[in-house]
Amino acid sequence: MNLTENNNLSSKSNLKAINEKPLLVQVLVGILLYVNGLMMFTFLKKETFRDTRYMLFAQTLFIDSALMVLTDLTLMGGFYQYPVHIIPCYILCTLMSLLTLCSPMTLVAMCLERYVAICMPLRHASISTPKNTFIGLFIIWGVSSVIPLFIFTVSFVNIPPGFLYLYVVCSLEVMLQIKWLADMRASSLQLIFIIMFCTVVSTYFKIMLAARSASSERKNSTKKGLKTVILHGIQLLLCMMHLITPYIEMPLWKVDVMLFVNVKYSNFILFLILPRCLSSLVYGLRDKKFSNALKYYVFCGILVCNKHKIRDDKTFRGVVNISINN
């Protein structure tokens, strides 16, 4: 009897722990979507944020928000075991794979933009033009779509005829049933990660060399650029870890369901949500220009208006005092 009661208590505690995880994830996703929404609103409202640096940042915000929404939907669908038709599932997984690749590539482009701004300041204006920025964005989306579209095509072609009417619990693992396809995806992502990581590291060292030879006036901006590249490098590592999480989670499903759930939610928070917090840190707090504009819209201009009112009051009082004294 005691053994049965202990088992019941254990199962109830496990169920409670599982039920608390979706709530925690929804709170975190909701907060980040709200912050990203404010930042995108700030970007759209201010014409001064139309240069390459902020356009890349705006793309990062859009990709991160879309990826969080789609991944959260599949996560909740897997938690509640909600069946989806296999074709919409394939499309959803392809979009997630595209966005997952597009996010770190945009980070690499942001590091390269900082490199051009710091190491080639005289050519920065001619390189970072709106036309070149749109070409760069097109290249990022084009390169990011190659692997996901190839996997979608191969998976769709190899679906047996009867499976077109199949409903599945949607996840990326559904598209990776063919072993050689999963191995090809893993090796391709490893190659892409090595190229991007080497690019970021070389960018960091070139900026560091520029910092040593920079004048005292430019040392502060150069040091800030170094810190920005370091933060983007950390983001890149976390984003690329998210690409290999399916290969970590798949074997755990057959071992222990509770362990699988814990690892899946931990991976979601560490490798999907945490890197997106760093984007807010890099530009929402560290960039004074963007931070001031963001504060204005967060507080609906109240604080700014109050500051102007205080200044006007002080000016008025000063004028009155001068008049009285005269």
Side-chain angles (χ1 to χ4, degrees), residues 66-313:
L67 182 60
M68 275 194 292
V69 170
L70 295 179
T71 311
D72 187 46
L73 287 175
T74 57
L75 192 70
M76 291 300 102
F79 175 78
Y80 293 108
Q81 296 292 296
Y82 185 80
V84 180
H85 192 271
I86 195 168
I87 301 302
C89 176
Y90 273 26
I91 296 173
L92 182 63
C93 290
T94 302
L95 284 174
M96 286 193 297
S97 298
L98 169 61
L99 295 172
T100 306
L101 270 174
C102 201
S103 180
M105 286 190 177
T106 307
L107 291 176
V108 174
M110 294 169 84
C111 291
L112 292 174
E113 190 277 333
R114 286 295 83 199
Y115 162 74
V116 173
I118 294 170
C119 298
M120 295 184 288
L122 298 178
R123 297 183 60 192
H124 182 253
S126 61
I127 294 175
S128 299
T129 60
K131 180 181 178 181
N132 290 339
T133 302
F134 283 115
I135 292 173
L137 295 179
F138 180 78
I139 292 172
I140 289 171
W141 284 95
V143 173
S144 301
S145 63
V146 173
I147 296 176
L149 289 178
F150 178 77
I151 293 174
F152 174 81
T153 304
V154 174
S155 301
F156 185 79
V157 169
N158 286 275
I159 296 178
F163 278 56
L164 289 174
Y165 304 99
L166 183 67
Y167 282 77
V168 295
V169 177
C170 191
S171 66
L172 188 60
E173 291 81 0
V174 175
M175 295 184 67
L176 300 176
Q177 299 296 322
I178 305 172
K179 188 178 183 304
W180 72 264
L181 189 62
D183 293 339
M184 185 277 298
R185 179 182 182 271
S187 58
S188 300
L189 293 179
Q190 289 172 7
L191 178 62
I192 291 172
F193 169 72
I194 291 171
I195 294 172
M196 289 192 292
F197 187 73
C198 290
T199 303
V200 173
V201 170
S202 63
T203 301
Y204 173 80
F205 281 111
K206 288 179 181 179
I207 294 175
M208 188 170 63
L209 291 173
R212 291 182 178 179
S213 60
S215 61
S216 57
E217 296 178 356
R218 294 188 64 244
K219 276 192 179 295
N220 290 332
S221 63
T222 306
K223 288 180 180 178
K224 190 174 181 180
L226 277 174
K227 293 178 181 177
T228 301
V229 172
I230 291 173
L231 287 172
H232 286 328
I234 296 171
Q235 281 182 279
L236 178 64
L237 285 172
L238 294 174
C239 288
M240 296 309 294
M241 283 296 295
H242 177 66
L243 294 174
I244 65 172
T245 52
Y247 304 101
I248 300 173
E249 297 163 2
M250 285 170 69
L252 296 177
W253 176 258
K254 299 177 182 178
V255 177
D256 186 1
V257 176
M258 188 65 191
L259 179 63
F260 171 79
V261 171
N262 289 332
V263 171
K264 194 172 183 67
Y265 279 101
S266 299
N267 289 338
F268 184 83
I269 293 172
L270 288 175
F271 304 129
L272 188 74
I273 292 181
L274 183 58
R276 277 72 200 174
C277 295
L278 289 176
S279 294
S280 304
L281 175 66
V282 172
Y283 286 92
L285 299 177
R286 294 182 68 249
D287 189 285
K288 294 291 181 66
K289 183 180 176 182
F290 195 88
S291 177
N292 291 334
L294 181 64
K295 288 176 184 176
Y296 177 86
Y297 290 112
V298 168
F299 298 104
C300 302
I302 295 173
L303 295 180
V304 178
C305 292
N306 287 339
K307 286 181 181 178
H308 287 308
K309 185 178 180 181
I310 291 170
R311 290 173 185 170
D312 293 340
D313 289 342

